[in-house]
Amino acid sequence: MPALSLVALVSLVSTVFAKQLDTHPPQQQDKHWAQICSGNPINKIRGCDRYGCGYFGADRHGHKGKHAGVDVICADGATVYAPFSGQLSGPIRFFHNGNAIDDGVQIRGSGNCFFLTSLPPPSLPGYCVKLVCVHPIRYHGQIHRGQQLGRMLPMQKVFPGIISHIHVENCDHSDPTQQLTPDVPPFPQQGSHWATVCSGNPTNEIRGCDRYGCGYYGAPRRNGKGKHTGVDVICSDGATVYAPFSGQLSGPIKFFHNGNAIDDGVQIRGSGFCVKLLCIHPIRYNGRISKGQVLGKMLPMQRVFPGITSHIHVENCDRSDPTSNLERGK
């Protein structure tokens, strides 16, 4: 091919590609979003403080409402990044009162990647999210995944002592937690049966029945109007608690939401498993942990429920029955 023709072809392809980029910006292929706030590489979610909790569905408005988003921890003044590529629109006024954090922006983009083609891209499912309590560099135009979006606003001025955070809310009010959780290499698991959860209970024996109720999965709760969504593994107050499998920790998990002596716990997510261990105080709430490694200690359940069979509440994240994993092949 003559050199002049080759140059002309390259120029033509470049022009077409540039026009398609303007109309259909390249999007990420994976379902996990990028880091949103500097200093929080894993998009750690706010736990609980005196203002409430940061997870999706947490109680709001005195138990008359639910949290429609997720609070990603972010220090006041920190740099904020775009979680995915898309189109900006705003401003978003969440509080409608002009306070120091009443600003934000929406990003709408696709979760797929467009390739160079002479045809328009197919209609693809995408993302639409509102990032609130941030001041964006701009409210309109296109932005790419990981590009600087703006900065975190001074939340401590409005809510002194709160865990400063960005409110991340899907436009359809669905749960964005899965997209915020980064990919991690799978953890090696040794079979489907979990390790001993509590010292002194090598077979993960499940609590029977006492005057407070029964410990098996599906046991009646709230005078027969509810069901037990976990399993109670017997554990003496103060006993050492171990990780049932290898995984990533997150927490704290507040079950009672009243600050009593046993209102603490942690979640472990590993290869194929996700479980919440409640009524324990973990050594730490974040980071990786290996199967059988010391996780923490059992809290003083007898202070709260005198005479109960002290136990760890073990609940699968999807509320399925964890009994077969706890039985260790019995």
Side-chain angles (χ1 to χ4, degrees), residues 130-150:
K130 298 174 183 178
L131 301 179
V132 182
C133 307
V134 308
H135 180 63
I137 293 173
R138 63 184 188 276
Y139 295 107
H140 300 282
Q142 292 175 354
I143 194 166
H144 295 289
R145 173 186 172 102
Q147 187 177 348
Q148 183 175 342
L149 175 65

Side-chain angles (χ1 to χ4, degrees), residues 51-53 55-67 257:
Y51 294 96
C53 301
Y55 60 87
F56 182 80
D59 287 326
R60 289 292 187 271
H61 314 299
H63 304 288
K64 295 180 181 178
K66 297 292 184 183
H67 191 207
H257 300 289

Side-chain angles (χ1 to χ4, degrees), residues 18-288:
K19 287 182 178 180
Q20 290 208 353
L21 285 178
D22 288 339
T23 308
H24 306 291
Q27 310 293 341
Q28 67 285 2
Q29 292 176 317
D30 63 288
K31 66 180 181 179
H32 294 286
W33 296 344
Q35 175 182 348
I36 290 179
C37 180
S38 60
N40 183 4
I42 61 171
N43 291 329
K44 180 182 176 183
I45 296 172
R46 166 193 172 211
C48 298
D49 51 44
R50 65 191 180 93
Y51 294 96
C53 301
Y55 60 87
F56 182 80
D59 287 326
R60 289 292 187 271
H61 314 299
H63 304 288
K64 295 180 181 178
K66 297 292 184 183
H67 191 207
V70 166
D71 295 339
V72 174
I73 295 173
C74 193
D76 292 10
T79 302
V80 179
Y81 307 100
F84 53 86
S85 302
Q87 186 75 27
L88 298 172
S89 61
I92 304 295
R93 306 300 186 190
F94 188 73
F95 298 94
H96 300 288
N97 59 9
N99 66 24
I101 59 174
D102 197 14
D103 199 2
V105 70
Q106 176 180 290
I107 308 176
R108 183 184 295 273
S110 168
N112 300 83
C113 184
F114 298 127
F115 295 94
L116 179 63
T117 174
S118 59
L119 299 174
S123 177
L124 296 169
Y127 300 130
C128 178
V129 71
K130 298 174 183 178
L131 301 179
V132 182
C133 307
V134 308
H135 180 63
I137 293 173
R138 63 184 188 276
Y139 295 107
H140 300 282
Q142 292 175 354
I143 194 166
H144 295 289
R145 173 186 172 102
Q147 187 177 348
Q148 183 175 342
L149 175 65
R151 64 182 174 86
M152 177 67 195
L153 289 170
M155 186 167 281
Q156 296 301 317
K157 286 186 180 179
V158 182
F159 301 111
I162 199 171
I163 301 170
S164 291
H165 61 270
I166 298 167
H167 176 80
V168 180
E169 183 174 313
N170 279 342
C171 298
D172 63 0
H173 290 185
S174 60
D175 186 357
T177 305
Q178 184 177 358
Q179 282 77 38
L180 286 164
T181 305
D183 280 317
V184 294
F187 296 92
Q189 305 293 346
Q190 298 175 357
S192 62
H193 296 290
W194 298 343
T196 294
V197 174
C198 179
S199 61
N201 183 6
T203 61
N204 291 328
E205 182 183 352
I206 295 171
R207 166 192 171 211
C209 297
D210 50 44
R211 64 190 181 94
Y212 293 95
C214 301
Y216 61 88
Y217 181 81
R221 288 293 186 269
R222 297 188 294 276
N223 297 320
K225 297 179 181 179
K227 298 289 185 182
H228 191 208
T229 55
V231 165
D232 295 340
V233 174
I234 296 173
C235 193
S236 300
D237 292 10
T240 301
V241 179
Y242 306 99
F245 51 85
S246 301
Q248 183 78 24
L249 298 172
S250 62
I253 304 294
K254 304 297 186 183
F255 186 72
F256 298 96
H257 300 289
N258 59 9
N260 67 25
I262 59 174
D263 197 14
D264 199 1
V266 71
Q267 175 180 290
I268 308 177
R269 182 185 295 274
S271 178
F273 302 128
C274 179
V275 71
K276 298 174 183 178
L277 301 179
L278 308 177
C279 306
I280 69 168
H281 180 63
I283 293 174
R284 63 183 189 277
Y285 295 107
N286 298 99
R288 295 193 177 193

